[in-house]
Amino acid sequence: MTSIRSLTSRLQRVPLTRPWAADVTSVGIIATHVVRSDGAEGWGFSWSPQIGAPAVHALLEHDVAPASVGRSAVPGEAWQGLWEHLHEAGGGGITTIALAGLDLALWDAEARSAGTSVSHVLGRRRERVRGYGSGVNLHYSLEELLAQVQRWIDAGFDAVKIKVGKPDLAEDLDRVAAVRALLGPDRDLMIDANQRWELDRATASVDALSRFGLAWIEEPLRADDLAGHAELARRIDVPIALGENLHTVHRFGDFLRAGAAQVVQPNIVRVGGITPFLRIAELAAEHGAALHPHLLPELSGQLALTLPDTAHEVLVEDVEDAGFGALGALADPSPVTIGDGWLTENAHEGLGIRFAPILTGAPAPADAPLTARKDHS
């Protein structure tokens, strides 16, 4: 049996070109390196915007790394046992984020040892996927928001997502109306409330905003409010999208079985890597839900190329100036290219994601307000 010989990691910060909030000016990257018993090497990463990266790094160093040595290096085989080993620290959150660092590195090593890409190992089913322009823009003025939307149009995107959740619904209506007018009737428009509403406010807001032809409303309620989302789905006609803040295949199953989400958006790192992501994709297909992976297009895009065909198109999120390549964080050329609104894969081995260890930045203050921290993608 090919086993894991060693797992090492390093923490670094990547400054954001466009801060996501006053206290969200960088993202934390924990770059990982695995060596197998046959000498093959793989590179992966864990990731967290501003908050929690040191804790993830500590978990990798003190718990994941020693527990992984000697276990199977075949991608996916060690995942469940390690998740059970870490479960006392929580079933999801920093535990699954840390597990992603190992899981991605093992998939990378598997593909590199075969001289090919991870998408080839999994089986690429399409040559390109449609992307949508996205940004953290609730704090933008209307003029700044429209300028951003125009940049997405000029870049060839025919789908965009903007933030909503202003204290006054009238301001949300004005902003969404202006964006729809700029987009015209034929481009897709999605809105994201980032957990800012309670049930009745969400019902009223979506009813008022639905006149603008919305493809989905994202995270209208607190992310773990299963009953609330199920009730909201009964009240509104706009599909509900969520998943960036769900951390396990079990939780995705809960929401899908309850009819609480019609679009699921797993973040491949937050759920624990490629291994659980593939299980979530199977669940989404079983329940007839659309799946659009959250953020990280250099990783998400590769996986999107491999997902089975369903009744729903797979979309990849491209947050403006937030990709690792755009931030200058990668040691190698980006494994994907996004152009004219489409993502394609470039020739590379493994995942093609290794980080240049030259980055700086400062963590957010411990007393930064929660409302600012919520405003992610």
Side-chain angles (χ1 to χ4, degrees), residues 274-304:
I274 292 170
T275 298
F277 172 80
L278 296 176
R279 292 174 59 202
I280 292 165
E282 291 174 359
L283 266 181
E286 290 171 10
H287 289 273
L291 185 145
H292 307 309
H294 171 254
L295 208 55
L296 308 175
E298 287 93 348
L299 173 62
S300 297
Q302 296 185 59
L303 272 291

PDB file of all heavy atoms in Angstrom, residues 274-304:
ATOM      1  N   ILE A 274     -11.506  17.714  -2.247  1.00  0.00           N
ATOM      2  CA  ILE A 274     -12.153  17.137  -3.419  1.00  0.00           C
ATOM      3  C   ILE A 274     -12.992  15.925  -3.040  1.00  0.00           C
ATOM      4  O   ILE A 274     -14.095  15.722  -3.569  1.00  0.00           O
ATOM      5  CB  ILE A 274     -11.083  16.758  -4.462  1.00  0.00           C
ATOM      6  CG1 ILE A 274     -10.423  18.030  -5.026  1.00  0.00           C
ATOM      7  CG2 ILE A 274     -11.679  15.938  -5.599  1.00  0.00           C
ATOM      8  CD1 ILE A 274      -9.196  17.762  -5.880  1.00  0.00           C
ATOM      9  N   THR A 275     -12.508  15.110  -2.123  1.00  0.00           N
ATOM     10  CA  THR A 275     -13.206  13.871  -1.764  1.00  0.00           C
ATOM     11  C   THR A 275     -14.637  14.125  -1.299  1.00  0.00           C
ATOM     12  O   THR A 275     -15.581  13.556  -1.870  1.00  0.00           O
ATOM     13  CB  THR A 275     -12.399  13.099  -0.715  1.00  0.00           C
ATOM     14  OG1 THR A 275     -11.134  12.734  -1.287  1.00  0.00           O
ATOM     15  CG2 THR A 275     -13.127  11.851  -0.267  1.00  0.00           C
ATOM     16  N   PRO A 276     -14.885  14.973  -0.294  1.00  0.00           N
ATOM     17  CA  PRO A 276     -16.282  15.232   0.098  1.00  0.00           C
ATOM     18  C   PRO A 276     -17.032  16.068  -0.926  1.00  0.00           C
ATOM     19  O   PRO A 276     -18.262  15.931  -1.057  1.00  0.00           O
ATOM     20  CB  PRO A 276     -16.155  15.949   1.439  1.00  0.00           C
ATOM     21  CG  PRO A 276     -14.789  16.536   1.434  1.00  0.00           C
ATOM     22  CD  PRO A 276     -13.934  15.602   0.641  1.00  0.00           C
ATOM     23  N   PHE A 277     -16.343  16.941  -1.653  1.00  0.00           N
ATOM     24  CA  PHE A 277     -17.007  17.734  -2.687  1.00  0.00           C
ATOM     25  C   PHE A 277     -17.683  16.831  -3.706  1.00  0.00           C
ATOM     26  O   PHE A 277     -18.822  17.096  -4.128  1.00  0.00           O
ATOM     27  CB  PHE A 277     -15.994  18.660  -3.371  1.00  0.00           C
ATOM     28  CG  PHE A 277     -16.549  19.380  -4.572  1.00  0.00           C
ATOM     29  CD1 PHE A 277     -17.340  20.503  -4.420  1.00  0.00           C
ATOM     30  CD2 PHE A 277     -16.289  18.927  -5.863  1.00  0.00           C
ATOM     31  CE1 PHE A 277     -17.867  21.169  -5.526  1.00  0.00           C
ATOM     32  CE2 PHE A 277     -16.806  19.574  -6.974  1.00  0.00           C
ATOM     33  CZ  PHE A 277     -17.603  20.695  -6.799  1.00  0.00           C
ATOM     34  N   LEU A 278     -17.019  15.764  -4.111  1.00  0.00           N
ATOM     35  CA  LEU A 278     -17.605  14.851  -5.094  1.00  0.00           C
ATOM     36  C   LEU A 278     -18.851  14.170  -4.533  1.00  0.00           C
ATOM     37  O   LEU A 278     -19.823  13.935  -5.261  1.00  0.00           O
ATOM     38  CB  LEU A 278     -16.575  13.814  -5.525  1.00  0.00           C
ATOM     39  CG  LEU A 278     -15.347  14.360  -6.261  1.00  0.00           C
ATOM     40  CD1 LEU A 278     -14.347  13.244  -6.544  1.00  0.00           C
ATOM     41  CD2 LEU A 278     -15.751  15.054  -7.564  1.00  0.00           C
ATOM     42  N   ARG A 279     -18.861  13.868  -3.243  1.00  0.00           N
ATOM     43  CA  ARG A 279     -20.041  13.268  -2.618  1.00  0.00           C
ATOM     44  C   ARG A 279     -21.195  14.273  -2.573  1.00  0.00           C
ATOM     45  O   ARG A 279     -22.363  13.913  -2.772  1.00  0.00           O
ATOM     46  CB  ARG A 279     -19.697  12.785  -1.214  1.00  0.00           C
ATOM     47  CG  ARG A 279     -18.732  11.607  -1.181  1.00  0.00           C
ATOM     48  CD  ARG A 279     -18.319  11.270   0.245  1.00  0.00           C
ATOM     49  NE  ARG A 279     -19.466  10.938   1.077  1.00  0.00           N
ATOM     50  CZ  ARG A 279     -19.472  11.024   2.405  1.00  0.00           C
ATOM     51  NH1 ARG A 279     -18.383  11.463   3.046  1.00  0.00           N
ATOM     52  NH2 ARG A 279     -20.548  10.686   3.098  1.00  0.00           N
ATOM     53  N   ILE A 280     -20.886  15.538  -2.315  1.00  0.00           N
ATOM     54  CA  ILE A 280     -21.915  16.580  -2.301  1.00  0.00           C
ATOM     55  C   ILE A 280     -22.499  16.756  -3.694  1.00  0.00           C
ATOM     56  O   ILE A 280     -23.714  16.928  -3.862  1.00  0.00           O
ATOM     57  CB  ILE A 280     -21.333  17.896  -1.762  1.00  0.00           C
ATOM     58  CG1 ILE A 280     -20.987  17.747  -0.271  1.00  0.00           C
ATOM     59  CG2 ILE A 280     -22.303  19.061  -1.972  1.00  0.00           C
ATOM     60  CD1 ILE A 280     -20.094  18.842   0.269  1.00  0.00           C
ATOM     61  N   ALA A 281     -21.648  16.688  -4.718  1.00  0.00           N
ATOM     62  CA  ALA A 281     -22.136  16.795  -6.090  1.00  0.00           C
ATOM     63  C   ALA A 281     -23.103  15.654  -6.413  1.00  0.00           C
ATOM     64  O   ALA A 281     -24.124  15.862  -7.095  1.00  0.00           O
ATOM     65  CB  ALA A 281     -20.959  16.793  -7.064  1.00  0.00           C
ATOM     66  N   GLU A 282     -22.810  14.459  -5.937  1.00  0.00           N
ATOM     67  CA  GLU A 282     -23.716  13.327  -6.147  1.00  0.00           C
ATOM     68  C   GLU A 282     -25.062  13.579  -5.462  1.00  0.00           C
ATOM     69  O   GLU A 282     -26.126  13.308  -6.034  1.00  0.00           O
ATOM     70  CB  GLU A 282     -23.088  12.043  -5.608  1.00  0.00           C
ATOM     71  CG  GLU A 282     -21.883  11.549  -6.404  1.00  0.00           C
ATOM     72  CD  GLU A 282     -21.208  10.357  -5.740  1.00  0.00           C
ATOM     73  OE1 GLU A 282     -21.680   9.936  -4.648  1.00  0.00           O
ATOM     74  OE2 GLU A 282     -20.231   9.838  -6.300  1.00  0.00           O
ATOM     75  N   LEU A 283     -25.013  14.096  -4.237  1.00  0.00           N
ATOM     76  CA  LEU A 283     -26.246  14.404  -3.509  1.00  0.00           C
ATOM     77  C   LEU A 283     -27.082  15.447  -4.246  1.00  0.00           C
ATOM     78  O   LEU A 283     -28.307  15.319  -4.360  1.00  0.00           O
ATOM     79  CB  LEU A 283     -25.904  14.936  -2.120  1.00  0.00           C
ATOM     80  CG  LEU A 283     -25.852  13.967  -0.947  1.00  0.00           C
ATOM     81  CD1 LEU A 283     -25.528  14.733   0.332  1.00  0.00           C
ATOM     82  CD2 LEU A 283     -27.166  13.221  -0.790  1.00  0.00           C
ATOM     83  N   ALA A 284     -26.437  16.498  -4.739  1.00  0.00           N
ATOM     84  CA  ALA A 284     -27.154  17.541  -5.459  1.00  0.00           C
ATOM     85  C   ALA A 284     -27.854  16.958  -6.683  1.00  0.00           C
ATOM     86  O   ALA A 284     -29.025  17.273  -6.954  1.00  0.00           O
ATOM     87  CB  ALA A 284     -26.194  18.656  -5.869  1.00  0.00           C
ATOM     88  N   ALA A 285     -27.154  16.104  -7.423  1.00  0.00           N
ATOM     89  CA  ALA A 285     -27.751  15.486  -8.599  1.00  0.00           C
ATOM     90  C   ALA A 285     -28.940  14.614  -8.220  1.00  0.00           C
ATOM     91  O   ALA A 285     -29.986  14.618  -8.892  1.00  0.00           O
ATOM     92  CB  ALA A 285     -26.702  14.667  -9.348  1.00  0.00           C
ATOM     93  N   GLU A 286     -28.813  13.868  -7.126  1.00  0.00           N
ATOM     94  CA  GLU A 286     -29.910  13.003  -6.677  1.00  0.00           C
ATOM     95  C   GLU A 286     -31.167  13.804  -6.348  1.00  0.00           C
ATOM     96  O   GLU A 286     -32.293  13.327  -6.562  1.00  0.00           O
ATOM     97  CB  GLU A 286     -29.483  12.207  -5.441  1.00  0.00           C
ATOM     98  CG  GLU A 286     -28.442  11.124  -5.710  1.00  0.00           C
ATOM     99  CD  GLU A 286     -27.912  10.523  -4.417  1.00  0.00           C
ATOM    100  OE1 GLU A 286     -28.496  10.814  -3.340  1.00  0.00           O
ATOM    101  OE2 GLU A 286     -26.914   9.779  -4.476  1.00  0.00           O
ATOM    102  N   HIS A 287     -30.986  15.013  -5.829  1.00  0.00           N
ATOM    103  CA  HIS A 287     -32.119  15.831  -5.406  1.00  0.00           C
ATOM    104  C   HIS A 287     -32.526  16.863  -6.459  1.00  0.00           C
ATOM    105  O   HIS A 287     -33.404  17.696  -6.188  1.00  0.00           O
ATOM    106  CB  HIS A 287     -31.789  16.528  -4.087  1.00  0.00           C
ATOM    107  CG  HIS A 287     -31.746  15.596  -2.919  1.00  0.00           C
ATOM    108  ND1 HIS A 287     -32.856  15.267  -2.174  1.00  0.00           N
ATOM    109  CD2 HIS A 287     -30.718  14.878  -2.382  1.00  0.00           C
ATOM    110  CE1 HIS A 287     -32.526  14.412  -1.226  1.00  0.00           C
ATOM    111  NE2 HIS A 287     -31.236  14.162  -1.312  1.00  0.00           N
ATOM    112  N   GLY A 288     -31.911  16.813  -7.628  1.00  0.00           N
ATOM    113  CA  GLY A 288     -32.291  17.722  -8.702  1.00  0.00           C
ATOM    114  C   GLY A 288     -31.899  19.158  -8.477  1.00  0.00           C
ATOM    115  O   GLY A 288     -32.505  20.077  -9.057  1.00  0.00           O
ATOM    116  N   ALA A 289     -30.899  19.393  -7.635  1.00  0.00           N
ATOM    117  CA  ALA A 289     -30.438  20.761  -7.350  1.00  0.00           C
ATOM    118  C   ALA A 289     -29.277  21.131  -8.262  1.00  0.00           C
ATOM    119  O   ALA A 289     -28.490  20.273  -8.672  1.00  0.00           O
ATOM    120  CB  ALA A 289     -30.008  20.881  -5.889  1.00  0.00           C
ATOM    121  N   ALA A 290     -29.169  22.404  -8.558  1.00  0.00           N
ATOM    122  CA  ALA A 290     -28.009  22.902  -9.288  1.00  0.00           C
ATOM    123  C   ALA A 290     -26.817  22.973  -8.342  1.00  0.00           C
ATOM    124  O   ALA A 290     -26.981  23.177  -7.135  1.00  0.00           O
ATOM    125  CB  ALA A 290     -28.301  24.285  -9.864  1.00  0.00           C
ATOM    126  N   LEU A 291     -25.621  22.807  -8.884  1.00  0.00           N
ATOM    127  CA  LEU A 291     -24.393  22.937  -8.086  1.00  0.00           C
ATOM    128  C   LEU A 291     -23.459  23.914  -8.777  1.00  0.00           C
ATOM    129  O   LEU A 291     -23.097  23.712  -9.937  1.00  0.00           O
ATOM    130  CB  LEU A 291     -23.703  21.585  -7.898  1.00  0.00           C
ATOM    131  CG  LEU A 291     -22.467  21.628  -6.972  1.00  0.00           C
ATOM    132  CD1 LEU A 291     -22.350  20.364  -6.153  1.00  0.00           C
ATOM    133  CD2 LEU A 291     -21.172  21.838  -7.768  1.00  0.00           C
ATOM    134  N   HIS A 292     -23.106  24.957  -8.038  1.00  0.00           N
ATOM    135  CA  HIS A 292     -22.156  25.956  -8.521  1.00  0.00           C
ATOM    136  C   HIS A 292     -21.107  26.151  -7.435  1.00  0.00           C
ATOM    137  O   HIS A 292     -21.387  26.792  -6.417  1.00  0.00           O
ATOM    138  CB  HIS A 292     -22.858  27.287  -8.819  1.00  0.00           C
ATOM    139  CG  HIS A 292     -24.031  27.160  -9.742  1.00  0.00           C
ATOM    140  ND1 HIS A 292     -23.954  26.510 -10.949  1.00  0.00           N
ATOM    141  CD2 HIS A 292     -25.311  27.600  -9.620  1.00  0.00           C
ATOM    142  CE1 HIS A 292     -25.143  26.555 -11.546  1.00  0.00           C
ATOM    143  NE2 HIS A 292     -25.971  27.207 -10.746  1.00  0.00           N
ATOM    144  N   PRO A 293     -19.899  25.601  -7.580  1.00  0.00           N
ATOM    145  CA  PRO A 293     -18.909  25.689  -6.501  1.00  0.00           C
ATOM    146  C   PRO A 293     -18.577  27.131  -6.152  1.00  0.00           C
ATOM    147  O   PRO A 293     -18.537  28.005  -7.010  1.00  0.00           O
ATOM    148  CB  PRO A 293     -17.693  24.937  -7.063  1.00  0.00           C
ATOM    149  CG  PRO A 293     -17.918  24.857  -8.534  1.00  0.00           C
ATOM    150  CD  PRO A 293     -19.384  24.879  -8.753  1.00  0.00           C
ATOM    151  N   HIS A 294     -18.305  27.350  -4.877  1.00  0.00           N
ATOM    152  CA  HIS A 294     -18.103  28.695  -4.339  1.00  0.00           C
ATOM    153  C   HIS A 294     -16.648  29.118  -4.454  1.00  0.00           C
ATOM    154  O   HIS A 294     -15.741  28.443  -3.968  1.00  0.00           O
ATOM    155  CB  HIS A 294     -18.533  28.711  -2.867  1.00  0.00           C
ATOM    156  CG  HIS A 294     -18.183  29.967  -2.135  1.00  0.00           C
ATOM    157  ND1 HIS A 294     -17.156  30.039  -1.212  1.00  0.00           N
ATOM    158  CD2 HIS A 294     -18.721  31.199  -2.186  1.00  0.00           C
ATOM    159  CE1 HIS A 294     -17.102  31.255  -0.725  1.00  0.00           C
ATOM    160  NE2 HIS A 294     -18.036  31.984  -1.298  1.00  0.00           N
ATOM    161  N   LEU A 295     -16.439  30.265  -5.112  1.00  0.00           N
ATOM    162  CA  LEU A 295     -15.153  30.949  -5.105  1.00  0.00           C
ATOM    163  C   LEU A 295     -14.009  30.066  -5.631  1.00  0.00           C
ATOM    164  O   LEU A 295     -14.233  29.074  -6.302  1.00  0.00           O
ATOM    165  CB  LEU A 295     -14.864  31.468  -3.696  1.00  0.00           C
ATOM    166  CG  LEU A 295     -13.976  32.716  -3.556  1.00  0.00           C
ATOM    167  CD1 LEU A 295     -14.499  33.885  -4.369  1.00  0.00           C
ATOM    168  CD2 LEU A 295     -13.858  33.123  -2.091  1.00  0.00           C
ATOM    169  N   LEU A 296     -12.751  30.470  -5.405  1.00  0.00           N
ATOM    170  CA  LEU A 296     -11.535  29.711  -5.726  1.00  0.00           C
ATOM    171  C   LEU A 296     -11.560  29.146  -7.146  1.00  0.00           C
ATOM    172  O   LEU A 296     -11.449  27.938  -7.349  1.00  0.00           O
ATOM    173  CB  LEU A 296     -11.343  28.579  -4.710  1.00  0.00           C
ATOM    174  CG  LEU A 296     -11.375  28.966  -3.231  1.00  0.00           C
ATOM    175  CD1 LEU A 296     -11.284  27.715  -2.358  1.00  0.00           C
ATOM    176  CD2 LEU A 296     -10.268  29.940  -2.892  1.00  0.00           C
ATOM    177  N   PRO A 297     -11.687  29.990  -8.186  1.00  0.00           N
ATOM    178  CA  PRO A 297     -11.889  29.470  -9.535  1.00  0.00           C
ATOM    179  C   PRO A 297     -10.740  28.612 -10.049  1.00  0.00           C
ATOM    180  O   PRO A 297     -10.966  27.712 -10.875  1.00  0.00           O
ATOM    181  CB  PRO A 297     -12.062  30.737 -10.386  1.00  0.00           C
ATOM    182  CG  PRO A 297     -11.409  31.833  -9.584  1.00  0.00           C
ATOM    183  CD  PRO A 297     -11.663  31.466  -8.154  1.00  0.00           C
ATOM    184  N   GLU A 298      -9.506  28.850  -9.569  1.00  0.00           N
ATOM    185  CA  GLU A 298      -8.391  28.005 -10.036  1.00  0.00           C
ATOM    186  C   GLU A 298      -8.595  26.551  -9.628  1.00  0.00           C
ATOM    187  O   GLU A 298      -8.146  25.633 -10.320  1.00  0.00           O
ATOM    188  CB  GLU A 298      -7.054  28.503  -9.471  1.00  0.00           C
ATOM    189  CG  GLU A 298      -6.550  29.788 -10.099  1.00  0.00           C
ATOM    190  CD  GLU A 298      -6.980  31.036  -9.348  1.00  0.00           C
ATOM    191  OE1 GLU A 298      -7.861  30.925  -8.452  1.00  0.00           O
ATOM    192  OE2 GLU A 298      -6.471  32.127  -9.651  1.00  0.00           O
ATOM    193  N   LEU A 299      -9.273  26.336  -8.513  1.00  0.00           N
ATOM    194  CA  LEU A 299      -9.604  24.984  -8.049  1.00  0.00           C
ATOM    195  C   LEU A 299     -10.997  24.580  -8.510  1.00  0.00           C
ATOM    196  O   LEU A 299     -11.185  23.513  -9.117  1.00  0.00           O
ATOM    197  CB  LEU A 299      -9.510  24.928  -6.527  1.00  0.00           C
ATOM    198  CG  LEU A 299      -9.969  23.646  -5.839  1.00  0.00           C
ATOM    199  CD1 LEU A 299      -9.116  22.461  -6.271  1.00  0.00           C
ATOM    200  CD2 LEU A 299      -9.929  23.812  -4.320  1.00  0.00           C
ATOM    201  N   SER A 300     -11.994  25.427  -8.236  1.00  0.00           N
ATOM    202  CA  SER A 300     -13.377  25.101  -8.563  1.00  0.00           C
ATOM    203  C   SER A 300     -13.570  24.850 -10.051  1.00  0.00           C
ATOM    204  O   SER A 300     -14.334  23.962 -10.448  1.00  0.00           O
ATOM    205  CB  SER A 300     -14.304  26.231  -8.116  1.00  0.00           C
ATOM    206  OG  SER A 300     -14.280  26.418  -6.724  1.00  0.00           O
ATOM    207  N   GLY A 301     -12.881  25.645 -10.853  1.00  0.00           N
ATOM    208  CA  GLY A 301     -13.031  25.491 -12.299  1.00  0.00           C
ATOM    209  C   GLY A 301     -12.583  24.138 -12.793  1.00  0.00           C
ATOM    210  O   GLY A 301     -13.216  23.529 -13.668  1.00  0.00           O
ATOM    211  N   GLN A 302     -11.488  23.635 -12.243  1.00  0.00           N
ATOM    212  CA  GLN A 302     -11.007  22.315 -12.647  1.00  0.00           C
ATOM    213  C   GLN A 302     -12.019  21.231 -12.294  1.00  0.00           C
ATOM    214  O   GLN A 302     -12.267  20.312 -13.083  1.00  0.00           O
ATOM    215  CB  GLN A 302      -9.669  22.011 -11.980  1.00  0.00           C
ATOM    216  CG  GLN A 302      -8.538  22.941 -12.408  1.00  0.00           C
ATOM    217  CD  GLN A 302      -7.213  22.509 -11.804  1.00  0.00           C
ATOM    218  OE1 GLN A 302      -6.752  21.384 -12.017  1.00  0.00           O
ATOM    219  NE2 GLN A 302      -6.594  23.397 -11.045  1.00  0.00           N
ATOM    220  N   LEU A 303     -12.595  21.321 -11.094  1.00  0.00           N
ATOM    221  CA  LEU A 303     -13.580  20.330 -10.676  1.00  0.00           C
ATOM    222  C   LEU A 303     -14.866  20.453 -11.482  1.00  0.00           C
ATOM    223  O   LEU A 303     -15.507  19.453 -11.804  1.00  0.00           O
ATOM    224  CB  LEU A 303     -13.866  20.476  -9.183  1.00  0.00           C
ATOM    225  CG  LEU A 303     -12.958  19.710  -8.220  1.00  0.00           C
ATOM    226  CD1 LEU A 303     -13.189  18.211  -8.339  1.00  0.00           C
ATOM    227  CD2 LEU A 303     -11.488  20.025  -8.439  1.00  0.00           C
ATOM    228  N   ALA A 304     -15.247  21.691 -11.813  1.00  0.00           N
ATOM    229  CA  ALA A 304     -16.471  21.898 -12.590  1.00  0.00           C
ATOM    230  C   ALA A 304     -16.385  21.209 -13.956  1.00  0.00           C
ATOM    231  O   ALA A 304     -17.398  20.745 -14.485  1.00  0.00           O
ATOM    232  CB  ALA A 304     -16.732  23.387 -12.766  1.00  0.00           C
TER     233      ALA A 304
END
